Amino acid sequence: MAALAGPAGLRAFGTRAPGWLPRGPWAPLAAGLCSRGPAAAERPEPGPRPTRARQRDGIRSIVLSHPKRRNVLSLAMLKSLQSDILHEAESNDLKVIIISAEGPVFSSGHDLKELTDEQGPAYHAEVFQTCSEVMMQIQSHPVPVIAMVNGLATAAGCQLVASCDIAVASDKSSFATPGVNIGLFCSTPGVALGRAVPRKVALEMLFTGEPITAQEALLHGLLSRVVPEEQLEEETMRIATKIASLSRPVVSLGKTAFYKQLPQDLRTAYHLTCQTMVDNVALRDGQEGIKAFIQKRKPIWSH
């Protein structure tokens, strides 16, 4: 069973129909959004790509596609996801990204086989640094990123959900940071989780490793919406289509300003966003939208 509701959705993502991103297995990362060193970025990865991506009508759909291993965020999976996220990130044709998964597990987190003594501290550091970069690149990406979850998301998988701008889940989904149970505290997942849910909720999840339901995740702010499994793809696409119909420059400006003001004190936040509003009004699409409203017509966006 895939995270996409219905066999039609699975066929769409499983077939290289028009709209699939035309690139090699490990495309270069887009400039400006990644701080990785050249040695790490250029390391070749063997085997098939563990993600699939397609783009149509401004919506890029990225699928974690290694269900036999519970979509573990191995280094190969992280690099593949990173490549799909950053591919032509500045293209005006891209309006929104959806991240989903095949199988009953959205993602079980890091690949523990990569975290044994055999690999050593340098490799372990690369795994955690790459994962952290992916999470930060989601936030700094110029377009909104939506998680579509249909199943279990644990540890770094839960971190991925918490890092997305919007998260829609089926009512069968659940979320946990269970690393403490195997002696590996979910410290990096705690960064995203602690910024998505209240502190005491995050700490209970981190200290006990016990899962929360989709409804509990919605209540605490980890999710945007919870819907029946059969409605998951439809609801996620409804949100994505709405975003894709809007002005990319305006949405991008707004996303950047939102995250920039969050850690600031109240006065600084208003100072920053007042200037953002001035910049927004000066945009071509800002003026187009205002004039269209006054003239009682639909706006014609530049992108």
Side-chain angles (χ1 to χ4, degrees):
M1 184 181 301
L4 297 174
L10 287 176
R11 286 195 298 269
F13 282 111
T15 306
R16 287 189 176 273
W20 280 87
L21 301 182
R23 48 182 169 62
W26 298 98
L29 301 180
L33 284 176
C34 181
S35 60
R36 298 172 57 88
E42 294 172 6
R43 178 181 296 181
E45 299 290 344
R49 298 186 78 245
T51 65
R52 298 198 306 276
R54 58 169 289 179
Q55 185 170 319
R56 182 177 298 162
D57 299 328
I59 302 171
R60 178 174 300 170
S61 298
I62 302 172
V63 185
L64 309 183
S65 54
H66 201 177
K68 290 183 179 180
R69 296 216 56 214
R70 298 161 65 90
N71 294 312
V72 290
L73 294 182
S74 62
L75 188 57
M77 175 73 86
L78 288 166
K79 287 183 175 181
S80 185
L81 177 60
Q82 186 177 54
S83 177
D84 288 337
I85 290 171
L86 297 182
H87 180 75
E88 297 184 354
E90 300 299 334
S91 170
N92 289 324
D93 293 330
L94 176 62
K95 297 290 195 73
V96 61
I97 293 173
I98 298 172
I99 300 175
S100 62
E102 289 184 17
V105 177
F106 177 78
S107 175
S108 59
H110 288 295
D111 185 352
L112 295 181
K113 292 181 179 179
E114 294 185 339
L115 302 180
T116 60
D117 290 339
E118 283 79 2
Q119 279 72 31
Y123 187 87
H124 298 160
E126 183 179 7
V127 169
F128 292 120
Q129 288 168 2
T130 302
C131 184
S132 298
E133 287 171 1
V134 170
M135 305 305 164
M136 291 187 288
Q137 286 157 357
I138 288 173
Q139 181 172 310
S140 64
H141 201 285
V143 306
V145 180
I146 304 172
M148 182 169 72
V149 185
N150 188 29
L152 180 64
T154 66
C158 183
Q159 179 185 5
L160 178 57
V161 176
S163 298
C164 289
D165 304 307
I166 298 171
V168 185
S170 69
D171 51 12
K172 63 176 278 189
S173 300
S174 58
F175 306 84
T177 50
V180 68
N181 294 321
I182 61 166
L184 184 62
F185 198 86
C186 287
S187 295
T188 44
V191 173
L193 183 65
R195 285 162 169 75
V197 305
R199 179 181 302 180
K200 289 179 173 58
V201 174
L203 287 173
E204 181 178 345
M205 292 178 66
L206 291 164
F207 289 152
T208 68
E210 294 178 352
I212 62 173
T213 67
Q215 289 296 341
E216 288 172 324
L218 177 66
L219 175 66
H220 298 311
L222 181 60
L223 298 176
S224 310
R225 292 179 183 270
V226 174
V227 296
E229 181 179 5
E230 62 272 15
Q231 297 176 19
L232 178 59
E233 184 178 3
E234 178 184 359
E235 180 62 14
T236 305
M237 286 301 298
R238 183 191 67 79
I239 296 171
T241 301
K242 171 62 178 178
I243 294 172
S245 73
L246 302 173
S247 163
R248 175 188 158 115
V250 171
V251 172
S252 181
L253 181 73
K255 175 177 174 176
T256 300
F258 178 81
Y259 284 114
K260 188 175 182 180
Q261 62 84 26
L262 272 182
Q264 308 298 329
D265 62 82
L266 191 64
R267 183 174 296 277
T268 303
Y270 272 119
H271 175 75
L272 290 172
T273 52
C274 281
Q275 184 57 53
T276 300
M277 295 296 289
V278 172
D279 295 340
N280 196 157
V281 169
L283 287 177
R284 173 181 170 183
D285 283 355
Q287 284 299 304
E288 167 62 15
I290 292 169
K291 291 175 182 177
F293 180 83
I294 293 172
Q295 297 168 6
K296 296 180 171 53
R297 61 174 175 82
K298 289 185 177 181
I300 301 174
W301 305 124
S302 61
H303 300 293

